[in-house]
Amino acid sequence: MEILRYVFLVFHLFGFAAILGGIFYQLRGKDPVTGGYMVTSAVVQLVTGVGLIWTRLSLDLPVSHAKMGVKLALDVLVAVIALRGMRTRAAWAFYAVATVTAAAVVVAVAWT
């Protein structure tokens, strides 16, 4: 079960890196847009985040339910905004995904 937790953690970080890497790459261009990679990465974040919580609970490791609730809400928000932005190609969605993803990172790192 511990190995599965690490697998979830690695893929959770891959999802985060794909979102932020794509954001930084697109900032070099003239008009950044929300792409399919953001939606896919957001779904990866959701699935692996739930998997991480499940494995921590299975291993009787401590879980901050308030923090996980906020992280889940932010991850769902990223997925919804990315999907909406991919369909409408609106610039606001790109910046909203970047902002909410950064907020999720702050919650993950700073909330102890």
Side-chain angles (χ1 to χ4, degrees), residues 10-25:
V10 166
F11 280 98
H12 196 69
L13 292 174
F14 284 165
F16 159 71
I19 291 175
L20 279 187
I23 287 169
F24 287 129
Y25 179 76

Side-chain angles (χ1 to χ4, degrees), residues 29-87:
K30 292 186 179 186
D31 52 337
V33 293
T34 305
Y37 71 91
M38 287 184 177
V39 176
T40 303
S41 299
V43 170
V44 167
Q45 289 287 105
L46 282 169
V47 171
T48 58
V50 170
L52 280 168
I53 294 169
W54 172 70
T55 54
R56 287 187 70 81
L57 289 172
S58 297
L59 293 169
D60 291 328
L61 297 172
V63 175
S64 171
H65 294 286
K67 176 182 175 180
M68 293 304 113
V70 170
K71 279 277 294 154
L72 179 63
L74 289 172
D75 288 344
V76 168
L77 189 58
V78 168
V80 168
I81 294 171
L83 187 59
R84 173 95 169 133
M86 192 177 77
R87 290 183 178 172

